[in-house]
Amino acid sequence: MVVAEVPKLASAAEYFFKLGVEGKRFRPTVLLLMATALNVHIPEPTAGGVGDTLTTDLRTRQQSIAEITEMIHVASLLHDDVLDDADKRRGIGSLNAVMGNKLAVLAGDFLLSRACVSLAALKNTEVVSLIATVVEHLVTGETMQMTTSSEQRCSMEYYMQKTYYKTASLISNSCKAIALLAGQTAEVAMLAFEYGKHLGLAFQLIDDVLDFTGTSASLGKGSLSDIQHGIVTAPILFAMEEFPQLHAIVYQGFDNPENVDIALEYLGKSDGIQRTRELAMKHANLAAAAIESLPESNDEQVRKSRRALVDLTQRVIMRNK
């Protein structure tokens, strides 16, 4: 899907889909598991084998959502790296560092347009609307991050809203799209959405922890990158509740490296990391609860996929990269 006529654009668009730098493929994994977890077994028709073509066609359409989601995700990474002036991504040079900002922006645009074509081909207006909203959310979240007032920087509520837009909206709305394509009820679609939302929030909260605790090698990007960019995340927000004197430091911002050191010192003395992990666990458990609330099924494949989705909620918490 990412093949382009112009060689330069082709190599830029394919940059993060190449073997070795394809990333964790976390989102497509979740979506393909969700597809199986929700697919009610269509009874075998007596003649013509129509049931089978129905299920394979549905699977292809759901797989399309996984592809679209991954392309939107990678496009957002390419654009974010330009905005952040990042030089590393997934352990290699970022596309903007290797090929320049202009090509990185165009490659992101190209991936988004390919995702749009693929989305249109599904001919499902509700699904198109969901995924279009996701792209709007990615832009909104990134803008919220760039343009915070001092009050907003210190607000847990603002931070969680921004995190939903930047990280959780994509996975939650894609999970919902998988349910809608399967012809599920509004209730089941909502449970799929809730799973994605809480999993996405847990995922990002752990990312925020790893930004402080993870080693650069295992994280694939320089540790402390958030705070050095002046981005205040959950661990610091929790530390501020314990040490109000941190407010003054956060107000001043982190252009001064001394302020980063002071903030890290307070963070070390506080329960910030622990409380962020606990909040992530809360969201992981809510995600697991959504799966456990799905209508019961005796189909072994369905049950297996649901167990895997529940298992993923714990893996998200325990990971160190």
Side-chain angles (χ1 to χ4, degrees):
M1 286 167 78
V2 300
V3 175
E5 289 167 35
V6 183
K8 199 85 175 163
L9 183 57
S11 56
E14 291 164 16
Y15 192 72
F16 282 121
F17 292 106
K18 292 198 298 278
L19 207 63
V21 287
E22 70 279 9
K24 294 183 281 291
R25 297 278 169 98
F26 174 69
R27 291 158 191 79
T29 303
V30 169
L31 293 169
L32 295 176
L33 285 170
M34 184 62 78
T36 308
L38 296 182
N39 287 355
V40 279
H41 187 67
I42 298 166
E44 295 297 314
T46 45
V50 184
D52 277 355
T53 59
L54 261 176
T55 45
T56 53
D57 179 51
L58 172 59
R59 184 67 182 187
T60 308
R61 289 160 65 77
Q62 289 172 321
Q63 191 168 321
S64 204
I65 295 289
E67 293 164 357
I68 289 163
T69 299
E70 192 63 5
M71 293 206 305
I72 292 172
H73 172 57
V74 172
S76 76
L77 299 183
L78 296 180
H79 286 170
D80 281 1
D81 284 349
V82 170
L83 293 172
D84 300 341
D85 212 9
D87 54 2
K88 275 266 192 300
R89 166 76 66 183
R90 293 180 178 171
I92 61 168
S94 61
L95 187 63
N96 47 302
V98 175
M99 296 191 186
N101 280 347
K102 290 178 183 177
L103 208 61
V105 169
L106 292 170
D109 290 345
F110 174 72
L111 290 176
L112 285 173
S113 60
R114 275 294 156 92
C116 285
V117 170
S118 187
L119 191 54
L122 294 172
K123 295 186 168 54
N124 183 317
T125 49
E126 199 178 349
V127 167
V128 171
S129 178
L130 282 181
I131 306 296
T133 304
V134 166
V135 178
E136 182 192 331
H137 284 172
L138 287 169
V139 174
T140 304
E142 191 60 36
T143 308
M144 281 174 77
Q145 185 166 288
M146 279 164 45
T147 58
T148 48
S149 69
S150 301
E151 280 77 19
Q152 288 166 338
R153 282 232 303 274
C154 299
S155 158
M156 192 64 165
E157 202 181 329
Y158 185 89
Y159 160 82
M160 288 303 281
Q161 183 65 60
K162 177 206 78 179
T163 298
Y164 171 72
Y165 284 148
K166 275 197 62 154
T167 308
S169 174
L170 178 59
I171 191 75
S172 58
N173 284 293
S174 308
C175 281
K176 187 176 178 182
I178 293 278
L180 293 177
L181 288 177
Q184 290 287 358
T185 62
E187 289 78 14
V188 168
M190 200 60 210
L191 288 171
F193 176 89
E194 289 293 315
Y195 174 80
K197 179 178 102 173
H198 292 298
L199 188 72
L201 292 173
F203 187 93
Q204 187 55 49
L205 287 162
I206 295 298
D207 252 14
D208 294 342
V209 166
L210 292 174
D211 199 56
F212 290 106
T213 64
T215 60
S216 190
S218 73
L219 202 57
K221 61 179 176 190
S223 246
L224 303 179
S225 64
D226 284 334
I227 197 163
Q228 282 164 358
H229 280 100
I231 299 164
V232 178
T233 58
I236 295 288
L237 291 170
F238 280 131
M240 282 164 67
E241 286 179 22
E242 284 175 72
F243 297 102
Q245 42 289 43
L246 242 180
H247 275 268
I249 302 294
V250 172
Y251 272 142
Q252 286 170 30
F254 294 104
D255 293 342
N256 179 352
E258 270 178 39
N259 280 2
V260 175
D261 293 337
I262 296 168
L264 289 177
E265 196 181 320
Y266 278 117
L267 178 62
K269 287 191 286 193
S270 77
D271 292 332
I273 295 288
Q274 186 53 31
R275 287 178 69 190
T276 305
R277 280 193 187 280
E278 283 164 12
L279 183 59
M281 261 175 244
K282 186 185 115 181
H283 284 290
N285 292 338
L286 285 168
I291 297 300
E292 273 141 21
S293 303
L294 289 170
E296 279 187 35
S297 167
N298 295 323
D299 185 300
E300 191 41 45
Q301 286 307 108
V302 170
R303 293 167 73 129
K304 208 169 161 182
S305 293
R306 290 181 183 182
R307 282 197 297 273
L309 287 170
V310 171
D311 179 49
L312 261 180
T313 63
Q314 296 312 302
R315 285 182 184 229
V316 158
I317 301 296
M318 304 317 293
R319 71 198 168 95
N320 58 10
K321 65 176 198 177

